[in-house]
Amino acid sequence: MSLEEPEPTQSAEKTAEQLPTTGDEIESLLSDVVIGRDDHLNAPGVIIRPDDVQKTLRRLRNKAGFDHLSCVTADERVDRYESIYHLTSYDDRTRELSVVVPTTKDDPVSESAAPVFRTADWHEREAYDLVGINYEDHPDLRRILLPQTWQGHPLSNNYDQDRPQIVTLKEWENPLAEDHREEEGDTMYINIGPHHPATHGVLHVKTVLDGEQIADIDPDIGYLHRCEEQICEAKTYRHQIMPYPDRWDYASSGLLNEWAYARAAEDLNDLEVPEYAQVIRTMGAEICRIASHMLAVGTFALDVYGDFTAIFMYAMRDREKAQNILEDLTGQRMMFNYFRLGGVVWDLPEPRDEFFETIRDFLEDLPTALEEYHDLISSNEILQVRTIDTGVLPPEEAKSYGATGPVARGSGIDYDLRRDDPYGYYDELDWDVVTEDGCDNFSRLLVRLREVEESAKIIEQCVDILEGWPEDERTIQSNVPRTLRPDDDAEIYRAVEGAKGELGIYIRGDGTEEPGRFKIRSPCFSNLQTLPEMSSGEYIPDMVASLGSLDIVLGEVDR
C-alpha cells in the first residue's frame, strides 16, 4: 500500500452544488496531472499519466466528492493500452467522471488504484489477467479468473488460442505447507468449496484458521468464467447480444440484466424507448427483483440454520408465483430474452384482464407471505444470534469496496440507481429506498424483505397504469435502424439497479456493428470482495452466514 499521506477531505461547508462537476472544473482541480481530455457520452473524461493514478484518484475522492469507484475497464487499442476508472458519488449518482490512463504497447505498466479504492484490487487483477496490464503498488497482483499458470491474456490482441495450457497440481497445494505449528499457535488451512451448497455456486474459499477464528480468507473465483465480454464483442448490437445478459445472473435477474445492456446500447445509439414499453420494463424488472430476493432469503435461511422443509420451500413457493407471471409475459422461466433495443419484443399477454388479475392475486398474497417470513426467519432466535453483529461491514468500508445494492443499503448507505440516476418509469412512481443501519448479516436480510414490499408497490402502480392505457397508443418499440454502427471511439458506461446492486455496462464503439470493447460491471464481483472484511476474526459459521448475506451468483461474478 502507498505510504503517501492522504489529502485533507473537503470541508463540511462545501456543499454538493459547489463540488466540481464539469470537465473544465475537474481539469482545473487536476491541472498538474491532466494531459488531455476524452469524450465519453455520459461523463467527462480526463487523461492522466500512468504514474499519477493514486494522486489523481485521491484528490478526486477527497476534494471533489467522487467516493465511488464503480468500475475499472481495461482495453487494448491499436497504439496503446488503457485503464479507465469510472468514478461517481454515492451522494449524487449523476456526477460521473472517466479517468483514462494510457500506457505504451511495449510496456503496459500503470500505478494501482487499490491504495485509494479497495474495489480496484479485484478489478485491476482482472485487467491484468485478461488484458495484460501490470499495476505497480498493487497489494496482490495475480490472476483472478484464470489459473496462475495460464499463458497469455485472452482479451489481448495477440492472444494465441492454440497455445497449450497446463495447470499443475502444485497450483492447488496448501499454501501453508511449509509452515510449522508453533507451541503457542494453532493455525489450520482448510478449503471451503468449490463444490459445497453454502458457496452458492462454484466458489472456492481458501481459509486460514487461528484456533477456531478466521485469520485470513481468499475467495478463489473463475470456475464459471465463460468470457462473456469477448462473446459480446463478437456479436451485433441489434439482436445478437441481448440473449446473453440472461446468463450472467441466471438465477432470476434476467430482465434486470437485459435492461443494463439495453440502457447502455440505447444511449450509445441515441435510441428512444416508448413510454408504454418503459412501464412494461419497470413492472417486469420488479417481478424479477422479487423472485431474486425470494431465492436470496430462502437460501440464506438454509445456510444459517438448515431449514429446508419450511422456509426454503416457502420462498420457492412465492418465487414460483413470480416465475409464472414472467413466463406468461416472456414465454420463458429463466432465459427471458424479452427486451429489445428500443422497447420490448411483444405486448402483454391476452387476455389482458386475466394477466392483470394474476399479478394482483400475487400482490395480494405477498403481505401474508412476508409476515410468515418475519415469523419464521427474522423473529427466529437462532437466526438472530447467528446474524446480529456478525458480518459487520461499516459504511466507509462498504464504499471503499464499491459495494452496492442490499449489501450497501444494509450498511446504511442510501444509494439506489432507480432513484439516484432515474431510468425507465421509476421517477413517475411512489416508492421508497430501503436502508438499515445495523451493517450486519441481519440488516442485509431485512433490506431484502422490505424491498419486496417496495417492489410490490411499484408493480401495482404499473398495473394500474397499463390497465388504463389507450389501446391505440400501446407502442412497444421505437423505430430502430436494422443496422447500428456507433461512431468510432464513441464510449459510454451505463448502469441499472440490479437485484444484487449496480449492474453496469461499458461499451466502446469502433464504427462497426459489433462493440470494440464490452465490459460488464457485476455487482456480485464487487460485493464479494467484502467477504474478508466481514469475516476476519469471526468463526466459520459466521463466514457462511456472511457469504449468504451477499447473495452472489457465480455466473455473474465470473461472467
Side-chain angles (χ1 to χ4, degrees):
M1 291 293 184
S2 172
L3 299 179
E4 179 183 345
E5 288 294 323
E7 298 185 34
T9 57
Q10 197 65 37
S11 64
E13 292 79 13
K14 193 82 166 179
T15 65
E17 290 76 12
Q18 295 173 308
L19 293 173
T21 299
T22 67
D24 291 339
E25 292 171 339
I26 292 169
E27 185 174 0
S28 177
L29 174 67
L30 304 173
S31 58
D32 58 325
V33 294
V34 170
I35 59 175
R37 296 274 289 272
D38 200 2
D39 291 327
H40 290 226
L41 296 184
N42 63 314
V46 294
I47 304 173
I48 65 170
R49 291 180 292 270
D51 55 350
D52 284 330
V53 173
Q54 292 178 23
K55 179 194 297 185
T56 301
L57 296 185
R58 186 172 285 112
R59 191 178 301 173
L60 288 169
R61 182 193 64 189
N62 295 343
K63 292 190 173 184
F66 288 102
D67 59 350
H68 179 27
L69 175 58
S70 59
C71 183
V72 180
T73 301
D75 193 7
E76 182 180 2
R77 311 293 286 272
V78 174
D79 59 343
R80 66 191 183 280
Y81 285 87
E82 278 187 355
S83 299
I84 305 174
Y85 296 89
H86 306 275
L87 295 171
T88 185
S89 169
Y90 279 101
D91 292 332
D92 184 0
R93 183 57 177 77
T94 60
R95 298 179 64 242
E96 298 181 72
L97 176 67
S98 301
V99 177
V100 183
V101 187
T103 64
T104 60
K105 292 279 285 190
D106 57 348
D107 187 25
V109 178
S110 179
E111 191 176 44
S112 171
V116 183
F117 291 100
R118 300 180 75 170
T119 188
D121 184 343
W122 277 24
H123 284 265
E124 288 177 346
R125 283 179 60 189
E126 182 182 343
Y128 160 72
D129 191 1
L130 300 184
V131 181
I133 300 176
N134 287 278
Y135 293 92
E136 289 184 335
D137 205 21
H138 190 283
D140 186 21
L141 190 62
R142 55 192 168 93
R143 292 185 184 271
I144 189 169
L145 295 172
L146 300 175
Q148 301 304 314
T149 56
W150 197 264
Q151 303 297 308
H153 306 279
L155 293 185
S156 63
N157 294 336
N158 61 354
Y159 179 65
D160 183 3
Q161 299 187 45
D162 298 323
R163 184 173 184 175
Q165 301 289 345
I166 299 175
V167 181
T168 64
L169 292 177
K170 185 177 176 64
E171 177 79 9
W172 312 113
E173 74 172 0
N174 182 354
L176 301 181
E178 302 302 322
D179 292 0
H180 299 279
R181 181 175 298 175
E182 299 177 356
E183 293 182 2
E184 66 274 12
D186 191 18
T187 301
M188 178 186 297
Y189 172 82
I190 63 173
N191 291 297
I192 301 176
H195 303 295
H196 191 285
T199 59
H200 292 242
V202 280
L203 172 66
H204 173 208
V205 184
K206 303 175 182 178
T207 309
V208 178
L209 298 179
D210 185 2
E212 296 185 16
Q213 291 179 294
I214 294 174
D216 182 60
I217 66 170
D218 178 20
D220 178 24
I221 64 175
Y223 293 85
L224 205 54
H225 179 56
R226 297 156 292 167
C227 221
E228 288 273 354
E229 294 175 0
Q230 193 172 40
I231 290 174
C232 291
E233 291 171 7
K235 304 298 180 181
T236 59
Y237 294 99
R238 184 70 171 88
H239 291 298
Q240 293 181 344
I241 292 177
M242 189 57 81
Y244 287 93
D246 290 311
R247 290 154 174 79
W248 303 338
D249 176 2
Y250 46 75
S252 48
S253 296
L255 298 185
L256 297 160
N257 301 348
E258 292 175 22
W259 207 340
Y261 167 62
R263 189 180 190 202
E266 286 162 357
D267 285 2
L268 180 66
N269 292 280
D270 196 23
L271 302 177
E272 296 292 331
V273 179
E275 187 177 4
Y276 179 70
Q278 295 284 27
V279 180
I280 295 176
R281 283 183 173 189
T282 303
M283 179 188 70
E286 292 309 306
I287 297 172
C288 273
R289 193 180 312 276
I290 291 178
S292 180
H293 284 351
M294 289 299 174
L295 181 62
V297 168
T299 54
F300 183 67
L302 187 63
D303 289 342
V304 172
Y305 57 98
D307 193 325
F308 181 85
T309 54
I311 298 165
F312 183 79
M313 295 310 295
Y314 273 42
M316 291 303 102
R317 172 199 65 185
D318 293 311
R319 172 184 160 88
E320 281 296 295
K321 294 178 181 178
Q323 292 293 102
N324 290 339
I325 296 171
L326 291 169
E327 183 178 10
D328 288 343
L329 177 64
T330 70
Q332 302 291 334
R333 297 184 71 83
M334 287 186 69
M335 309 304 168
F336 304 113
N337 192 23
Y338 180 65
F339 282 20
R340 291 294 182 271
L341 299 189
V344 295
V345 66
W346 52 60
D347 201 350
L348 302 178
E350 297 286 352
R352 294 166 67 92
D353 290 344
E354 290 185 9
F355 179 66
F356 291 140
E357 184 178 358
T358 301
I359 296 177
R360 291 194 185 280
D361 289 343
F362 171 61
L363 298 179
E364 186 177 345
D365 292 341
L366 265 182
T368 302
L370 289 169
E371 186 176 348
E372 290 175 336
Y373 293 136
H374 283 295
D375 289 341
L376 289 168
I377 306 176
S378 60
S379 298
N380 185 287
E381 184 178 352
I382 297 174
L383 184 136
Q384 290 179 0
V385 169
R386 292 209 36 205
T387 59
I388 294 176
D389 293 331
T390 65
V392 174
L393 183 66
E396 291 309 313
E397 293 295 331
K399 289 181 179 180
S400 183
Y401 278 104
T404 55
V407 175
R409 293 190 285 274
S411 292
I413 300 172
D414 190 9
Y415 181 76
D416 191 310
L417 271 71
R418 293 173 293 175
R419 178 201 63 195
D420 300 336
D421 186 16
Y423 58 95
Y425 214 70
Y426 288 109
D427 57 347
E428 302 292 332
L429 306 175
D430 179 25
W431 59 282
D432 298 310
V433 175
V434 174
T435 61
E436 291 284 342
D437 296 328
C439 305
D440 54 15
N441 292 323
F442 192 69
S443 291
R444 292 184 279 276
L445 168 67
L446 292 181
V447 165
R448 292 189 176 92
L449 287 173
R450 291 178 58 198
E451 282 189 358
V452 171
E453 300 177 28
E454 297 303 318
S455 292
K457 288 167 56 177
I458 294 172
I459 295 167
E460 185 174 22
Q461 293 173 77
C462 288
V463 170
D464 290 341
I465 294 169
L466 292 170
E467 280 185 323
W469 206 280
E471 184 174 354
D472 57 353
E473 297 178 13
R474 296 172 187 168
T475 306
I476 60 170
Q477 282 190 43
S478 60
N479 187 17
V480 179
R482 182 181 297 273
T483 301
L484 298 174
R485 290 190 177 92
D487 293 339
D488 189 13
D489 277 351
E491 299 176 73
I492 194 167
Y493 173 78
R494 272 283 181 247
V496 301
E497 186 67 33
K500 275 77 169 167
E502 180 178 331
L503 175 58
I505 304 294
Y506 165 85
I507 301 177
R508 173 178 61 81
D510 61 2
T512 70
E513 297 180 62
E514 302 167 354
R517 181 71 172 100
F518 191 99
K519 167 67 180 177
I520 306 164
R521 190 274 185 198
S522 154
C524 293
F525 182 80
S526 290
N527 290 345
L528 183 56
Q529 288 187 89
T530 66
L531 185 61
E533 186 71 30
M534 297 177 178
S535 304
S536 180
E538 298 195 346
Y539 300 100
I540 289 289
D542 300 329
M543 189 279 287
V544 171
S546 298
L547 179 58
S549 77
L550 293 176
D551 184 27
I552 62 166
V553 169
L554 269 299
E556 188 182 272
V557 173
D558 292 351
R559 288 149 287 132

